[in-house]
């Protein structure tokens, strides 16, 4: 099985973005000019990193965002199932609210601590995807009852502040510039 994205490092080829991020973080740990994006193996921080990456991949990406992609945008290939998309969105809100509540309780600047990590890269990808399909919505309450499901207000504010901080990173801005250049080149 092959996938996109993939990485070729010497004669070694691998795929799956979370695995690539972790591999690169381990291989280039401690190299001059390379930030530590993956905590060292055997540490509590690495355990937290693995937990967050697994949750993002197994729950938010594959069970929510990818279900929407398959059964809405790619419905002509996989079958259009609006009920599956609606259920995935509802589950997305539950997962995201639980994850953000835990993140807020930790009191850290980023998902794994006070330094940006490869887990944050994956989360930014998920936030960007959710934003593109208009799933970054705040829940609406009336008379103490939720009338429209979404991200809980306190979590919504926290997520927006985190997202804005991540978008201000020079690497994020460079990536956005490259994406726009690719779009511009493709439209010529």
């Amino acid at each position: 099985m092959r996938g996109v994205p993939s990485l070729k490092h010497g004669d070694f080829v691998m795929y799956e973005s979370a695995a690539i991020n972790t591999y690169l973080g381990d291989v280039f740990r401690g190299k001059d000019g390379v930030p530590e994006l993956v905590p060292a193996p055997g540490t509590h921080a690495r355990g937290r990193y693995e937990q967050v990456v697994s949750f993002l991949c197994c729950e938010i990406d594959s069970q929510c965002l990818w279900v929407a992609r398959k059964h809405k945008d790619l419905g002509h290939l996989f079958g259009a199932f609006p009920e599956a998309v609606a259920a995935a969105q509802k589950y997305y809100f539950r997962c995201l609210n639980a994850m953000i509540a835990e993140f807020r309780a930790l009191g850290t600047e980023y998902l794994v601590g006070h330094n940006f990590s490869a887990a944050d890269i994956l989360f930014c990808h998920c936030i960007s995807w959710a934003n593109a399909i208009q799933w970054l919505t705040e829940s609406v309450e009336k008379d103490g009852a939720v009338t429209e499901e979404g991200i809980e207000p306190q979590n919504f504010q926290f997520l927006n502040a985190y997202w804005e901080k991540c978008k201000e990173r020079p690497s994020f801005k460079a990536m956005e510039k490259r994406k726009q250049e690719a779009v511009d080149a493709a439209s010529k």
Side-chain angles (χ1 to χ4, degrees):
M1 184 173 204
R2 296 182 185 251
V4 174
S6 60
L7 169 75
K8 183 173 185 191
H9 184 227
D11 62 351
F12 177 60
V13 177
M14 67 182 299
Y15 54 92
E16 292 297 332
S17 56
I20 291 169
N21 287 345
T22 301
Y23 172 78
L24 292 173
D26 284 341
V27 167
F28 293 100
R29 178 182 322 286
K31 304 284 190 217
D32 285 341
V34 178
E36 186 172 305
L37 292 175
V38 177
T43 63
H44 290 169
R46 180 60 169 256
R48 168 88 178 139
Y49 168 84
E50 296 289 353
Q51 172 189 310
V52 170
V53 167
S54 292
F55 184 79
L56 287 168
C57 289
C58 296
E59 303 302 328
I60 297 203
D61 189 311
S62 66
Q63 297 297 318
C64 302
L65 299 168
W66 181 239
V67 167
R69 178 89 169 123
K70 272 175 65 172
H71 298 300
K72 185 176 180 187
D73 300 333
L74 299 175
H76 61 286
L77 296 174
F78 296 100
F81 295 104
E83 301 86 6
V85 175
Q89 184 179 25
K90 187 174 185 174
Y91 185 59
Y92 166 80
F93 291 139
R94 283 184 37 218
C95 289
L96 199 60
N97 278 316
M99 184 180 159
I100 294 170
E102 183 177 322
F103 181 16
R104 288 176 44 226
L106 290 172
T108 60
E109 193 172 354
Y110 295 102
L111 291 174
V112 181
H114 293 291
N115 296 315
F116 188 82
S117 73
D120 296 289
I121 292 171
L122 184 58
F123 192 34
C124 284
H125 158 73
C126 291
I127 293 170
S128 180
W129 189 353
N131 197 33
I133 62 173
Q134 300 175 353
W135 278 15
L136 285 184
T137 58
E138 188 173 1
S139 61
V140 176
E141 292 185 22
K142 185 174 182 179
D143 299 326
V146 174
T147 58
E148 189 175 321
E149 285 207 58
I151 303 166
E152 295 169 5
Q154 67 277 17
N155 291 340
F156 190 75
Q157 290 173 342
F158 187 86
L159 179 65
N160 279 330
Y162 168 84
W163 179 229
E164 290 303 318
K165 177 175 44 183
C166 290
K167 288 191 312 185
E168 287 301 313
R169 296 179 52 78
S171 56
F172 189 95
K173 289 180 178 182
M175 181 262 318
E176 286 294 311
K177 182 180 177 194
R178 277 190 231 108
K179 277 179 24 181
Q180 188 58 52
E181 289 168 354
V183 167
D184 293 345
S187 66
K188 289 183 180 178

